[in-house]
């Protein structure tokens, strides 16, 4: 609308100007040497306008001849780029949709149109991966390393391949190269930490986990647990080398890093007992029980009281659990020791509370043992054993990724290689073995009641 109004106004102005020039009478005389030209003002104005138009046409023609080919080439290039980026976008969508053939075809078209290999290498690598051609994908990823713009993506692709094939040496090398390029990237810090851990490079891994916490790659809680776990692994390695003193010092550092990290408390207390420092071991167990009650802590505590009578051990246990007396583990430990002290009423009271809090198979087996010891009621014993066979299994060290059980905690799962995946938790009930009704209760509990030997206690993590 504005353009139409502007055109109309322009026509009116030009018409008015032409009328004004042609209406006034008069003559215009132009003398140039021996030549004299006489005309009217209107004709002169028209001649000037025609001359100006001719000059403009000539200038436009010259300009077109001079820069026209370049404009045509630029237009063609822009069209190819538009088509190339469209093919690249469609190819990425095809790769995301799991269509490798279409993704590879569009990658070739994008590469032809754009003539920019760095932009299409990633798409080609993804298409090759979808087709299961790992060698081709590796070639594309390695080609990406030659381009600064894609080197980081190439490293990530190669790192994922190395992890998939279990090549930890190569994966560690690639993680270190990625860290050199972008040391603050969360996945780089996580990958480097996992590779250093699998390689047993505890000192390097400790530096990395601190950087990960500083850059927010992991939460404070996870960072503290992983730092404590790495210190635990380092202390355990030192103990295996016979350096008990240094191992105890590092284990204490692990306890300080995360007071709720149970394996560090177990290792620290076990090493202190092995070194003859029973007081330090007992303090470690007592402090750990406030944060994370656990059967292994209870067994270690009872081993430290081995020279006392059963009644005295019960009093000691009551002091141990005083700050956490309602926890199921506290109730079970109290009941076990009350059974040893033959205080049947106390044992029954604690077991009834334990059943209400966490009715696991182990609690029902203790009830069966209590009935056998106190009343000798075979029917009650069989009833409790039947309840044990139907109840949830007792907690254990399980991998959150593959759900495999482990005898002790470790920072890497022995079954699937997952990092920081072992937790103390109740396993699926289907995995619990059925308990025979003919199982002698006293024998079934004997092993669990026996305190571990000092060497075993010092190396156990659960």
């Amino acid at each position: 609308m504005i353009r139409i109004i502007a055109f109309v106004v322009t026509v009116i102005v030009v018409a008015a100007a032409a009328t004004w020039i042609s209406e006034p009478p008069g003559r215009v005389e132009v003398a140039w040497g021996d030549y004299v030209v006489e005309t009217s003002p209107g004709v002169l104005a028209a001649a000037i306008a025609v001359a100006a138009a001719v000059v403009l046409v000539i200038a436009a023609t010259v300009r077109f001849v001079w820069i026209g080919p370049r404009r045509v080439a630029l237009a063609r290039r822009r069209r190819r780029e538009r088509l190339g980026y469209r093919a690249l976008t469609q190819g990425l969508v095809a790769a995301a949709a799991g269509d490798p053939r279409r993704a590879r075809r569009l990658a070739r078209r994008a590469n032809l149109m754009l003539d920019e290999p760095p932009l299409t290498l990633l798409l080609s690598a993804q298409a090759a991966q979808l087709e299961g051609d790992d060698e081709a994908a590796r070639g594309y990823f390695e080609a990406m390393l030659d381009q600064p713009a894609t080197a980081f993506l190439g490293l990530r692709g190669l790192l994922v391949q190395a992890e998939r094939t279990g090549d930890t040496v190569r994966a560690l090398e690639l993680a270190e190269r990625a860290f050199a390029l972008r040391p603050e990237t969360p996945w780089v810090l996580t990958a480097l930490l996992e590779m250093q851990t699998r390689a047993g490079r505890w000192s390097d891994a400790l530096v990395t986990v601190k950087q990960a916490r500083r850059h927010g790659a992991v939460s404070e809680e996870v960072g503290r647990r992983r730092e404590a776990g790495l210190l635990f692994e380092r202390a355990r390695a030192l103990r295996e080398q016979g350096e008990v003193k240094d191992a105890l010092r590092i284990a204490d550092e692990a306890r300080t890093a995360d007071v709720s990290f149970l394996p560090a408390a177990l290792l620290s207390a076990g090493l202190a007992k092995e070194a003859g420092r029973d007081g330090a071991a007992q303090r470690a167990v007592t402090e750990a029980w406030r944060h994370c009650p656990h059967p292994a802590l209870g067994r270690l505590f009872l081993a430290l009281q081995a020279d006392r009578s059963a009644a005295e051990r019960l009093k000691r246990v009551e002091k141990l659990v005083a700050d956490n007396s309602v926890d199921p583990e506290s109730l079970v430990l109290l009941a076990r020791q009350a059974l040893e002290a033959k205080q049947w009423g106390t044992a029954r009271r604690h077991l009834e509370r334990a059943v209400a809090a966490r009715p696991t198979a182990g609690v029902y087996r203790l009830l069966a043992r209590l009935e056998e010891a106190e009343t000798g009621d075979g029917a009650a014993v069989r009833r409790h054993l039947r309840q044990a066979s139907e109840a949830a299994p007792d907690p254990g060290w399980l991998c959150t990724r593959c759900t495999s059980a482990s005898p002790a905690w470790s920072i890497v799962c022995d079954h699937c290689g997952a990092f920081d995946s072992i937790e103390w938790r109740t396993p699926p009930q289907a995995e619990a073995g059925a308990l025979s009704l003919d199982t002698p209760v006293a024998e079934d509990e004997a092993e669990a009641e026996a305190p571990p030997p000092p060497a075993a206690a010092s190396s156990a993590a659960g």
Side-chain angles (χ1 to χ4, degrees):
M1 186 66 183
I2 295 176
R3 291 183 178 181
I4 295 175
I5 295 173
F7 175 76
V8 172
V9 170
T10 301
V11 170
I12 294 173
V13 170
V14 170
T19 302
W20 179 78
I21 291 173
S22 61
E23 284 184 354
R27 304 287 293 174
V28 177
E29 183 178 301
V30 179
W32 186 12
D34 295 336
Y35 298 95
V36 177
V37 177
E38 292 184 2
T39 185
S40 65
V43 173
L44 179 61
I48 293 173
V50 170
V54 171
V55 171
L56 289 175
V57 169
I58 294 173
T61 302
V62 172
R63 186 169 181 270
F64 176 77
V65 172
W66 181 258
I67 67 173
R70 282 183 291 177
R71 284 196 169 184
V72 172
L74 179 61
R76 290 183 61 190
R77 185 164 64 251
R78 287 179 175 174
R79 181 175 180 276
R80 289 173 63 87
E81 287 179 354
R82 186 170 62 255
L83 294 175
Y85 282 117
R86 182 185 301 171
L88 183 62
T89 303
Q90 292 174 346
L92 290 173
V93 172
D99 188 350
R101 297 180 61 184
R102 177 174 171 79
R104 177 163 287 188
R105 186 178 70 253
L106 290 168
R108 287 195 295 266
R109 182 186 300 175
N111 188 48
L112 179 64
M113 292 292 182
L114 295 174
D115 195 23
E116 289 285 347
L119 298 176
T120 56
L121 283 172
L122 178 60
L123 176 56
S124 299
Q126 288 180 333
Q129 284 182 320
L130 287 173
E131 291 180 332
D133 192 348
D134 290 338
E135 287 299 323
R138 184 178 298 109
Y140 288 122
F141 285 131
E142 289 176 350
M144 292 169 69
L145 301 181
D146 298 330
Q147 304 289 337
T150 57
F152 189 68
L153 290 175
L155 286 171
R156 183 167 193 174
L158 291 171
L159 176 58
V160 171
Q161 283 192 324
E163 288 181 324
R164 188 184 300 121
T165 59
D167 190 349
T168 56
V169 176
R170 174 67 169 162
L172 177 57
E173 176 193 349
L174 292 167
E176 289 174 339
R177 291 176 63 182
F179 178 77
L181 287 178
R182 297 188 183 179
E184 298 181 5
T185 304
W187 75 261
V188 172
L189 290 165
T190 301
L192 181 60
L193 176 60
E194 291 187 19
M195 295 304 106
Q196 290 171 334
T197 301
R198 290 193 176 101
R201 290 168 49 175
W202 311 123
S203 299
D204 293 338
L206 282 167
V207 173
T208 303
V209 77
K210 290 177 181 177
Q211 289 178 317
R213 290 175 61 183
R214 184 165 60 252
H215 294 304
V218 295
S219 65
E220 279 298 314
E221 179 183 357
V222 172
R224 285 195 303 270
R225 186 184 69 245
R226 290 183 177 178
E227 182 176 350
L230 290 167
L231 288 167
F232 165 84
E233 294 288 4
R234 185 179 177 188
R236 186 161 61 176
L238 287 170
R239 184 193 176 279
E240 290 173 356
Q241 297 169 10
E243 301 178 16
V244 177
K245 184 177 180 181
D246 289 338
L248 179 57
R249 175 176 56 82
I250 300 300
D252 288 338
E253 290 182 16
R255 281 200 304 135
T256 303
D258 187 352
V259 294
S260 64
F261 185 64
L262 173 66
L266 285 168
L267 182 59
S268 176
L271 286 168
K273 185 177 186 304
E274 186 176 347
R277 299 170 54 186
D278 288 1
Q282 186 162 317
R283 286 192 297 273
V285 171
T286 303
E287 180 182 357
W289 196 273
R290 296 192 187 101
H291 303 283
C292 46
H294 189 272
L297 284 173
R299 292 194 293 270
L300 184 55
F301 182 81
L302 292 175
L304 292 167
Q305 316 297 324
D307 58 340
R308 301 180 187 276
S309 67
E312 290 176 329
R313 289 200 297 273
L314 177 58
K315 292 181 180 179
R316 292 275 181 166
V317 168
E318 289 173 347
K319 291 181 180 179
L320 171 70
V321 306
D323 295 332
N324 209 346
S325 59
V326 297
D327 188 274
E329 293 296 347
S330 296
L331 296 172
V332 169
L333 182 62
L334 286 166
R336 286 184 185 279
Q337 193 52 45
L339 279 169
E340 289 297 315
K342 298 183 180 180
Q343 297 186 19
W344 314 128
T346 301
R348 187 177 298 278
R349 184 175 70 254
H350 291 312
L351 286 175
E352 288 174 351
R353 294 175 65 192
V355 166
R358 192 181 68 194
T360 60
V363 175
Y364 285 115
R365 287 198 294 269
L366 283 175
L367 278 170
R369 180 183 171 193
L370 173 63
E371 291 292 351
E372 186 177 59
E374 182 183 12
T375 66
D377 187 345
V381 171
R382 287 191 294 274
R383 182 179 71 254
H384 290 314
L385 289 177
R386 184 178 296 107
Q387 289 173 321
S389 68
E390 298 171 351
D394 293 314
W397 292 114
L398 297 178
C399 175
T400 57
R401 180 175 297 180
C402 67
T403 69
S404 297
S406 298
W409 185 90
S410 62
I411 200 165
V412 176
C413 176
D414 293 334
H415 298 275
C416 68
F419 175 72
D420 189 24
S421 63
I422 307 295
E423 292 182 358
W424 181 258
R425 57 191 299 186
T426 301
Q429 189 166 353
E431 295 182 8
L435 182 64
S436 170
L437 299 183
D438 298 326
T439 303
V441 181
E443 294 179 7
D444 180 63
E445 293 295 330
E447 184 176 352
E449 286 294 317
S458 65
S459 61

